[in-house]
Amino acid sequence: MTAVPGDPAGCSQLGAELRTLAARLQDREPTLPDGRERHLVRVLALRLDRAGEACQRFAQDLAAAQQELRRLALDVEAAGLVLDGLAVAEPWGVASAETAQRRRASLPVLQRRSERLGSSAARARGALRRSLDEATAALRAAGAASGPAARRHDQ
């Protein structure tokens, strides 16, 4: 089932870990005397929590898409057609006129289902990517803020 790749359980677990890390960050006492660190940690925790939530939502969407793909594959097979990735096609070989007509009638309906499935999976991946990009930017900002200039504050 490479048409909708991924591991829903692993994605959900990653989301839980990110959300746990976000909660730990929020409970952490700041080490710098000014409010900069508190604000930075709050923003980082929020981004990590959102990324974790996005991972868990994606895990649900991914599991649903994979289940729909299994149902689609069964329906495609029952119609005498083949599923290649997300493309529904007639198989090679000779078929009776009745079989060919039945296949041609089923093909567009099943192909539209497949396209909706692909679009849905792409939207879910896009939402996850945006959330993870935001978390990455927040981590970079936190790393930059804790660089040499921030360490001089501690001394």
Side-chain angles (χ1 to χ4, degrees):
M1 298 267 165
T2 59
V4 186
D7 173 20
C11 209
S12 181
Q13 184 178 0
L14 173 62
E17 291 294 328
L18 287 171
R19 297 188 93 181
T20 298
L21 178 59
R24 285 186 190 145
L25 274 174
Q26 287 177 332
D27 294 341
R28 181 179 161 281
E29 289 296 319
T31 57
L32 294 177
D34 62 10
R36 245 185 14 190
E37 181 185 7
R38 184 176 302 278
H39 173 72
L40 189 61
V41 167
R42 196 174 322 131
V43 168
L44 179 57
L46 177 64
R47 294 290 187 261
L48 288 175
D49 186 60
R50 284 183 184 166
E53 180 184 9
C55 283
Q56 290 177 322
R57 188 174 33 255
F58 180 72
Q60 292 172 343
D61 293 343
L62 181 59
Q66 289 175 344
Q67 180 61 34
E68 175 57 24
L69 181 59
R70 285 188 283 277
R71 283 193 296 269
L72 176 64
L74 291 173
D75 292 347
V76 165
E77 184 180 340
L81 298 166
V82 293
L83 188 62
D84 181 12
L86 290 175
V88 180
E90 289 190 60
W92 287 98
V94 179
S96 69
E98 181 182 308
T99 298
Q101 185 178 15
R102 184 175 38 83
R103 287 176 179 169
R104 279 192 296 266
S106 299
L107 194 141
V109 173
L110 293 168
Q111 183 61 49
R112 280 192 298 275
R113 249 177 81 190
S114 180
E115 289 167 2
R116 281 192 304 271
L117 172 62
S119 293
S120 175
R123 279 191 305 277
R125 275 192 306 274
L128 176 62
R129 180 173 301 260
R130 284 187 299 277
S131 184
L132 292 176
D133 286 347
E134 288 175 3
T136 300
L139 284 167
R140 279 193 185 113
S146 66
R151 279 191 285 266
R152 275 183 267 166
H153 249 325
D154 291 337
Q155 296 172 358

